[in-house]
Amino acid sequence: MAAIGKDIFRAKSILEQGNLVGIPTETVYGLAGNALNSDAVAKIFAVKNRPSFDPLILHTYSLEKVDDFVIEIPDPLRQLAEKFWPGPLTLLLPKKDIVPDLVTSGLDKVAVRIPNHPLTLELLSVLDFPLAAPSANPFGYISPTQAIHVNDQLGDKIAYVLDGGSCQVGLESTIVGMEQGSLVIYRLGGLEVGSIEKEVGKVKIMVHSSSNPKSPGMLKSHYAPKKPFVLGNLDNLIKDYSIKEIPFAVLSFDKNFPGLPNSLHIQLSAKRDLSEAAKSLFAAMRTLDSLDVSVILAELLPEEGLGRAINDRLRRASAGEEEK
Ligand code: TXA
Ligand code: MG
C-alpha cells in the first residue's frame, strides 16, 4: 500500500526522482509525474494501464507559467483562463517542443489546467517542472475522489498519495479548445457550459462521438463500474429486478425508497442540489460497485447545469444499458 499524508516535500522528492504520486485536485485525484520527463510519463501510462493514444493533462500553478509550455493562448481561451483558473477547466493549446510527444500522444496541442486545490498548488509551486496527471484510476474505471480510492486501486504501484480530503467538485474538468476560430467543448465537466457561454458566447459541444481519437476519455464505455449499470425509471426497474429475483443496488438523485434497506441505496442529494450530487457521485458508484449485488440501478438527473456532465458520466457508466 502507498503511504497517505499531507507532506508536499515528500511528494516533491518522489517526483524529482521520476516517480509518481497521487495528488488531490478539486475535480478528482490525479496520478502525477514530471511532465517534462518522458520516463516518468511512460510510468503513468503503465501504472494506469492506459493506451498510449490517450493524451495527458499538464498541470501548473500560474497563467504566466503556461507560456513556458504553449506557443500561444488564443484570446477567447485566455479570457476563460483568466476567469476560471485555478478551476475545473482544461484548455487545449498549441504545444512547445519542451512538452514531450508522449504527453500529447503525438498531437500538436497540449491539454493544460491550473487545478484549484491548496496542497497541489503549493506542490506545483515548489517544483521545477509541471505535472502530467490523468485521473488516478485504472483506465476505464470510475475516477477517485478520495485518497483512499487511489490507494485501493493503485496503492501497490505508487509510493505516496497526497491527501487533500474529498474532492470539492467531484467531476473531471471541462475540456475546451478551438477549431477554425470557434470554441469547442470536448468533455463536459465540473465547469458548467452555461458559465463558459456567459463569458464567451455560444460554444459548440463535441462530446458524443464514441470513437473520437482526439479525446479517448470520451469513449462510450468509460468512467464505468465493474457491475452492470442500468439507467431508467427507478420505480419500474426496482419492480422488474425484484420480480426477476436479481439482487440489485440503487443510485437515485433525490428519491427515497422506504422498502429498500439503506445499505442497498444511495441518494445523491435529498434537496436536489446538483453540485452536492456531483460531489458524491463517484464515491457512491464505488460503494455500490463493492456490494454483493448483481446490478446497479440508476436514474438520470435533470439535464441542466452540472446535471449535463453528471448524466454524461452516468450514460458512459451504463454504456448503452438503458432500460428498453
Ligand atoms: O479534472 C481533470 O481533468 C483530472 C484532474 C486529475 O486534473 N484529470 C483527468 O485526466 O481527468 P484524464 O487523463 O483522466 O482525462 C483527460 C482527458 C482525456 O480524455 C484525454 O483524451 C483528453 O483529456 N486530452 C488530453 N490531452 C488532450 C489533447 N492534447 N487533445 C485532446 N484531448 C486531450
Ligand atoms: Mg480519466
Coordinates of all heavy atoms in Angstrom, one line a residue, residues 206-268:
M206 N -18.8 18.9 -28.6 CA -18.5 17.8 -29.4 C -18.0 16.6 -28.5 O -16.9 16.3 -28.5 CB -17.4 18.1 -30.4 CG -17.9 18.9 -31.6 SD -16.6 19.3 -32.8 CE -15.5 17.9 -32.7
V207 N -19.0 16.1 -27.8 CA -18.6 15.0 -26.8 C -19.2 13.7 -27.1 O -19.0 12.7 -26.4 CB -18.9 15.4 -25.4 CG1 -18.2 16.7 -25.0 CG2 -20.4 15.6 -25.2
H208 N -20.0 13.6 -28.2 CA -20.8 12.4 -28.4 C -20.2 11.3 -29.2 O -20.7 10.2 -29.3 CB -22.2 12.8 -28.9 CG -23.0 13.5 -27.8 ND1 -23.3 12.9 -26.6 CD2 -23.5 14.7 -27.7 CE1 -23.9 13.7 -25.8 NE2 -24.1 14.9 -26.5
S209 N -19.1 11.6 -29.9 CA -18.5 10.6 -30.7 C -18.0 9.5 -29.8 O -17.3 9.7 -28.8 CB -17.4 11.2 -31.5 OG -16.5 10.2 -31.9
S210 N -18.2 8.2 -30.2 CA -17.7 7.1 -29.4 C -16.3 6.8 -29.9 O -15.6 5.9 -29.3 CB -18.6 5.9 -29.5 OG -18.8 5.6 -30.8
S211 N -15.9 7.3 -31.0 CA -14.6 6.9 -31.5 C -13.7 8.1 -31.9 O -12.9 8.1 -32.7 CB -14.8 6.0 -32.7 OG -15.5 6.8 -33.7
N212 N -14.0 9.2 -31.2 CA -13.2 10.5 -31.5 C -11.8 10.3 -31.0 O -11.5 10.3 -29.8 CB -13.9 11.6 -30.7 CG -13.2 12.9 -30.9 OD1 -12.2 13.0 -31.6 ND2 -13.7 14.0 -30.3
P213 N -10.8 10.2 -31.9 CA -9.5 9.9 -31.5 C -8.9 11.1 -30.7 O -7.9 10.9 -30.0 CB -8.7 9.7 -32.8 CG -9.6 10.4 -33.8 CD -11.0 10.4 -33.3
K214 N -9.5 12.2 -30.8 CA -9.0 13.4 -30.1 C -9.2 13.3 -28.6 O -8.5 13.9 -27.8 CB -9.7 14.7 -30.6 CG -9.1 15.2 -31.8 CD -9.4 16.6 -32.0 CE -9.0 17.1 -33.3 NZ -10.0 18.0 -33.9
S215 N -10.2 12.6 -28.2 CA -10.5 12.6 -26.7 C -11.0 11.2 -26.3 O -12.2 11.0 -26.1 CB -11.5 13.6 -26.4 OG -11.3 14.1 -25.1
P216 N -10.0 10.3 -26.2 CA -10.5 8.9 -25.8 C -11.2 8.8 -24.5 O -11.9 7.9 -24.2 CB -9.2 8.1 -25.8 CG -8.2 8.9 -26.6 CD -8.6 10.3 -26.4
G217 N -11.0 9.9 -23.6 CA -11.7 9.9 -22.4 C -13.2 9.9 -22.7 O -14.0 9.8 -21.8
M218 N -13.6 10.2 -23.9 CA -15.0 10.2 -24.3 C -15.4 8.9 -24.9 O -16.5 8.8 -25.5 CB -15.1 11.4 -25.3 CG -14.9 12.7 -24.7 SD -16.2 13.2 -23.6 CE -15.7 12.5 -22.1
L219 N -14.6 7.9 -24.8 CA -15.0 6.6 -25.2 C -16.4 6.2 -24.6 O -16.6 6.6 -23.5 CB -14.0 5.5 -24.8 CG -12.7 5.5 -25.6 CD1 -11.7 4.6 -25.0 CD2 -12.9 5.2 -27.1
K220 N -17.2 5.6 -25.4 CA -18.6 5.4 -24.9 C -18.6 4.7 -23.6 O -19.3 5.1 -22.6 CB -19.4 4.6 -26.0 CG -20.8 4.7 -25.7 CD -21.7 4.5 -26.9 CE -23.1 4.7 -26.5 NZ -24.0 3.6 -26.8
S221 N -17.8 3.6 -23.4 CA -17.8 2.9 -22.2 C -16.6 3.4 -21.4 O -15.4 3.1 -21.7 CB -17.7 1.4 -22.4 OG -17.4 0.8 -21.1
H222 N -16.8 4.3 -20.4 CA -15.7 4.9 -19.6 C -16.3 5.2 -18.3 O -17.5 5.2 -18.1 CB -15.2 6.1 -20.4 CG -13.7 6.4 -20.2 ND1 -12.7 5.6 -20.8 CD2 -13.0 7.3 -19.4 CE1 -11.6 6.1 -20.4 NE2 -11.7 7.1 -19.6
Y223 N -15.4 5.6 -17.3 CA -15.9 6.0 -16.0 C -16.9 4.9 -15.5 O -17.9 5.2 -14.9 CB -16.7 7.3 -16.1 CG -16.0 8.4 -16.9 CD1 -16.4 8.8 -18.1 CD2 -14.9 9.1 -16.3 CE1 -15.7 9.8 -18.8 CE2 -14.2 10.1 -16.9 CZ -14.6 10.4 -18.2 OH -14.0 11.4 -18.9
A224 N -16.6 3.7 -15.7 CA -17.6 2.6 -15.5 C -17.3 1.7 -14.3 O -16.1 1.3 -14.1 CB -17.7 1.7 -16.8
P225 N -18.3 1.4 -13.6 CA -18.1 0.4 -12.5 C -18.0 -1.0 -13.2 O -18.2 -1.1 -14.4 CB -19.5 0.5 -11.7 CG -20.4 1.2 -12.6 CD -19.7 1.9 -13.6
K226 N -17.6 -2.0 -12.3 CA -17.4 -3.3 -12.9 C -18.8 -4.0 -13.1 O -18.9 -4.8 -14.0 CB -16.5 -4.2 -11.9 CG -15.2 -3.6 -11.8 CD -14.2 -4.5 -11.1 CE -12.8 -4.0 -11.1 NZ -12.6 -3.1 -9.8
K227 N -19.7 -3.7 -12.2 CA -21.0 -4.3 -12.3 C -21.9 -3.7 -13.4 O -21.7 -2.5 -13.7 CB -21.8 -4.1 -11.0 CG -21.1 -4.8 -9.9 CD -22.1 -5.1 -8.7 CE -21.6 -6.2 -7.9 NZ -20.6 -5.7 -7.0
P228 N -22.8 -4.4 -14.0 CA -23.7 -3.8 -15.0 C -24.4 -2.6 -14.3 O -24.8 -2.7 -13.1 CB -24.7 -4.9 -15.3 CG -24.1 -6.2 -14.9 CD -23.1 -5.9 -13.8
F229 N -24.6 -1.5 -15.0 CA -25.1 -0.3 -14.5 C -26.3 0.1 -15.4 O -26.1 0.4 -16.6 CB -24.0 0.7 -14.6 CG -24.2 2.0 -13.9 CD1 -24.0 2.1 -12.5 CD2 -24.7 3.1 -14.5 CE1 -24.2 3.3 -11.8 CE2 -24.9 4.3 -13.9 CZ -24.7 4.4 -12.5
V230 N -27.5 0.0 -14.9 CA -28.7 0.2 -15.8 C -29.4 1.4 -15.4 O -29.7 1.7 -14.3 CB -29.6 -1.1 -15.6 CG1 -30.9 -0.9 -16.5 CG2 -28.9 -2.3 -15.9
L231 N -29.6 2.3 -16.4 CA -30.3 3.5 -16.3 C -31.8 3.4 -16.7 O -32.1 2.8 -17.7 CB -29.7 4.6 -17.2 CG -28.4 5.2 -16.8 CD1 -27.9 6.1 -17.9 CD2 -28.5 5.9 -15.5
G232 N -32.6 4.1 -15.9 CA -34.0 4.1 -16.3 C -34.9 4.7 -15.2 O -34.4 5.4 -14.3
N233 N -36.2 4.4 -15.3 CA -37.1 4.8 -14.3 C -37.0 3.9 -13.1 O -37.2 2.7 -13.2 CB -38.6 4.8 -14.9 CG -39.6 5.1 -13.8 OD1 -39.8 4.3 -12.9 ND2 -40.3 6.2 -14.0
L234 N -36.6 4.4 -12.0 CA -36.2 3.6 -10.8 C -37.4 2.7 -10.3 O -37.2 1.6 -9.9 CB -35.6 4.4 -9.7 CG -34.1 4.7 -10.0 CD1 -33.6 5.6 -8.9 CD2 -33.2 3.4 -10.1
D235 N -38.6 3.3 -10.3 CA -39.7 2.5 -9.8 C -39.9 1.3 -10.6 O -40.1 0.2 -10.1 CB -41.0 3.4 -9.8 CG -41.0 4.5 -8.7 OD1 -40.7 4.1 -7.6 OD2 -41.2 5.6 -9.1
N236 N -39.9 1.5 -12.0 CA -40.1 0.3 -12.9 C -38.9 -0.7 -12.7 O -39.1 -1.9 -12.7 CB -40.1 0.8 -14.3 CG -41.3 1.6 -14.6 OD1 -42.3 1.6 -13.8 ND2 -41.3 2.4 -15.7
L237 N -37.7 -0.1 -12.7 CA -36.5 -1.0 -12.6 C -36.6 -1.9 -11.3 O -36.3 -3.1 -11.4 CB -35.2 -0.2 -12.7 CG -34.9 0.4 -14.0 CD1 -33.6 1.3 -13.9 CD2 -34.6 -0.7 -15.0
I238 N -36.9 -1.2 -10.2 CA -36.9 -1.9 -8.9 C -38.0 -3.0 -9.0 O -37.7 -4.2 -8.5 CB -37.2 -0.9 -7.8 CG1 -35.9 -0.1 -7.6 CG2 -37.5 -1.7 -6.5 CD1 -36.1 1.1 -6.6
K239 N -39.1 -2.7 -9.5 CA -40.2 -3.7 -9.7 C -39.7 -4.9 -10.5 O -39.8 -6.1 -10.1 CB -41.4 -3.1 -10.4 CG -42.7 -3.3 -9.6 CD -43.9 -2.6 -10.3 CE -44.1 -1.2 -9.8 NZ -44.9 -0.4 -10.7
D240 N -39.1 -4.6 -11.7 CA -38.6 -5.6 -12.6 C -37.6 -6.6 -12.0 O -37.7 -7.8 -12.1 CB -37.9 -4.9 -13.7 CG -38.7 -4.7 -14.9 OD1 -39.9 -4.6 -14.7 OD2 -38.1 -4.5 -16.0
Y241 N -36.6 -5.9 -11.4 CA -35.5 -6.8 -10.8 C -35.9 -7.5 -9.6 O -35.4 -8.6 -9.3 CB -34.2 -5.9 -10.6 CG -33.5 -5.7 -11.9 CD1 -33.9 -4.7 -12.8 CD2 -32.4 -6.4 -12.3 CE1 -33.3 -4.5 -14.0 CE2 -31.7 -6.2 -13.5 CZ -32.2 -5.2 -14.3 OH -31.6 -5.0 -15.5
S242 N -36.9 -7.0 -8.9 CA -37.4 -7.7 -7.7 C -38.2 -9.0 -8.2 O -38.0 -10.1 -7.7 CB -38.4 -6.9 -6.9 OG -37.8 -5.7 -6.5
I243 N -39.0 -8.8 -9.3 CA -39.7 -10.0 -9.8 C -38.8 -11.0 -10.3 O -38.9 -12.2 -10.1 CB -40.7 -9.5 -10.9 CG1 -41.8 -8.7 -10.3 CG2 -41.3 -10.7 -11.7 CD1 -42.7 -7.9 -11.3
K244 N -37.7 -10.5 -11.0 CA -36.7 -11.5 -11.6 C -35.8 -12.0 -10.5 O -35.0 -12.9 -10.8 CB -35.9 -10.7 -12.7 CG -36.6 -10.4 -13.9 CD -35.7 -9.9 -15.1 CE -35.6 -8.4 -15.1 NZ -34.8 -7.9 -16.2
E245 N -36.0 -11.6 -9.3 CA -35.1 -12.0 -8.2 C -33.6 -11.8 -8.5 O -32.8 -12.7 -8.1 CB -35.5 -13.4 -7.8 CG -36.9 -13.5 -7.2 CD -37.2 -14.9 -6.6 OE1 -36.3 -15.8 -6.5 OE2 -38.4 -15.1 -6.3
I246 N -33.3 -10.7 -9.1 CA -31.9 -10.4 -9.3 C -31.4 -9.4 -8.3 O -32.1 -8.3 -8.2 CB -31.6 -9.8 -10.8 CG1 -32.0 -10.9 -11.8 CG2 -30.2 -9.4 -10.9 CD1 -32.0 -10.3 -13.2
P247 N -30.4 -9.7 -7.4 CA -30.0 -8.8 -6.4 C -29.5 -7.5 -7.0 O -28.6 -7.5 -7.9 CB -28.9 -9.5 -5.6 CG -28.8 -10.9 -6.2 CD -29.6 -10.9 -7.5
F248 N -30.0 -6.3 -6.5 CA -29.6 -5.1 -7.1 C -29.3 -4.0 -6.0 O -29.7 -4.2 -4.8 CB -30.7 -4.5 -8.0 CG -32.0 -4.3 -7.3 CD1 -32.3 -3.2 -6.6 CD2 -33.0 -5.3 -7.3 CE1 -33.5 -3.0 -5.9 CE2 -34.3 -5.2 -6.7 CZ -34.5 -4.0 -5.9
A249 N -28.6 -2.9 -6.4 CA -28.4 -1.8 -5.5 C -28.9 -0.6 -6.3 O -29.0 -0.6 -7.5 CB -27.0 -1.6 -5.1
V250 N -29.3 0.5 -5.6 CA -29.9 1.7 -6.3 C -29.2 3.0 -6.0 O -28.8 3.3 -4.9 CB -31.4 1.8 -5.8 CG1 -32.0 3.0 -6.3 CG2 -32.2 0.6 -6.2
L251 N -29.0 3.7 -7.1 CA -28.4 5.1 -7.0 C -29.5 6.1 -7.5 O -29.9 6.1 -8.7 CB -27.2 5.2 -7.9 CG -26.4 6.5 -8.0 CD1 -25.9 6.8 -6.6 CD2 -25.3 6.4 -9.0
S252 N -30.0 6.9 -6.6 CA -31.0 7.9 -7.0 C -30.6 9.3 -6.8 O -29.6 9.5 -6.1 CB -32.3 7.6 -6.2 OG -32.2 8.1 -4.9
F253 N -31.2 10.2 -7.5 CA -30.9 11.6 -7.3 C -31.5 12.0 -5.9 O -30.8 12.1 -4.9 CB -31.5 12.4 -8.4 CG -31.3 13.9 -8.3 CD1 -30.2 14.4 -7.7 CD2 -32.2 14.8 -8.9 CE1 -29.9 15.8 -7.6 CE2 -31.9 16.2 -8.8 CZ -30.8 16.7 -8.2
D254 N -32.8 12.2 -5.8 CA -33.4 12.7 -4.5 C -34.4 11.7 -3.9 O -34.8 11.8 -2.8 CB -34.1 14.0 -4.8 CG -35.2 13.9 -5.8 OD1 -34.9 13.2 -6.9 OD2 -36.3 14.4 -5.6
K255 N -34.8 10.7 -4.8 CA -35.9 9.8 -4.3 C -35.4 8.9 -3.2 O -34.3 8.5 -3.1 CB -36.3 8.9 -5.5 CG -37.2 9.7 -6.5 CD -37.8 8.6 -7.4 CE -38.3 9.3 -8.7 NZ -37.1 9.4 -9.6
N256 N -36.4 8.6 -2.3 CA -36.2 7.6 -1.3 C -37.1 6.4 -1.6 O -38.2 6.6 -2.1 CB -36.6 8.3 0.0 CG -35.8 7.8 1.2 OD1 -35.1 6.8 1.0 ND2 -35.9 8.4 2.3
F257 N -36.6 5.2 -1.2 CA -37.5 4.0 -1.4 C -37.6 3.3 -0.1 O -36.7 2.5 0.3 CB -36.8 3.1 -2.5 CG -36.7 3.8 -3.8 CD1 -35.5 4.4 -4.1 CD2 -37.7 3.9 -4.7 CE1 -35.4 5.1 -5.3 CE2 -37.6 4.5 -5.9 CZ -36.4 5.1 -6.2
P258 N -38.7 3.6 0.7 CA -38.9 3.1 2.0 C -38.7 1.6 2.1 O -38.2 1.1 3.1 CB -40.3 3.5 2.4 CG -40.6 4.6 1.5 CD -39.8 4.4 0.2
G259 N -39.1 0.8 1.1 CA -38.9 -0.6 1.1 C -37.5 -1.2 1.0 O -37.3 -2.3 1.3
L260 N -36.6 -0.3 0.6 CA -35.2 -0.8 0.3 C -34.3 -0.6 1.6 O -34.4 0.4 2.2 CB -34.6 0.1 -0.8 CG -34.8 -0.3 -2.2 CD1 -33.9 0.6 -3.1 CD2 -34.4 -1.7 -2.5
P261 N -33.5 -1.6 1.9 CA -32.6 -1.4 3.0 C -31.6 -0.3 2.7 O -31.2 -0.2 1.5 CB -31.8 -2.8 3.1 CG -32.4 -3.7 2.1 CD -33.4 -2.9 1.3
N262 N -31.3 0.5 3.7 CA -30.3 1.6 3.5 C -29.0 1.2 2.8 O -28.4 2.0 2.1 CB -30.0 2.3 4.8 CG -31.1 3.3 5.2 OD1 -31.8 3.7 4.3 ND2 -31.2 3.6 6.5
S263 N -28.6 0.0 3.2 CA -27.3 -0.4 2.7 C -27.3 -0.6 1.2 O -26.2 -0.7 0.5 CB -26.9 -1.7 3.4 OG -27.8 -2.7 3.1
L264 N -28.4 -0.7 0.6 CA -28.5 -1.0 -0.9 C -28.9 0.2 -1.7 O -29.2 0.1 -2.9 CB -29.5 -2.1 -1.1 CG -29.2 -3.5 -0.6 CD1 -30.3 -4.5 -0.9 CD2 -27.8 -4.0 -1.1
H265 N -29.0 1.4 -1.0 CA -29.5 2.5 -1.7 C -28.7 3.8 -1.4 O -28.4 4.1 -0.2 CB -30.9 2.8 -1.3 CG -31.5 4.1 -1.9 ND1 -32.4 4.8 -1.2 CD2 -31.2 4.7 -3.0 CE1 -32.7 5.9 -1.9 NE2 -32.0 5.9 -3.0
I266 N -28.2 4.5 -2.4 CA -27.6 5.8 -2.1 C -28.4 6.9 -2.8 O -28.7 6.8 -4.0 CB -26.1 5.8 -2.5 CG1 -25.3 4.8 -1.7 CG2 -25.5 7.3 -2.4 CD1 -23.8 4.8 -2.0
Q267 N -28.7 7.9 -2.1 CA -29.4 9.1 -2.6 C -28.4 10.2 -2.7 O -27.7 10.5 -1.8 CB -30.4 9.4 -1.5 CG -31.5 10.4 -1.7 CD -32.3 10.6 -0.4 OE1 -31.7 10.4 0.7 NE2 -33.5 11.0 -0.5
L268 N -28.3 10.8 -3.9 CA -27.2 11.7 -4.2 C -27.4 13.1 -3.5 O -26.5 13.7 -3.0 CB -26.9 11.9 -5.7 CG -26.3 10.7 -6.4 CD1 -26.2 10.9 -7.9 CD2 -24.9 10.4 -5.8

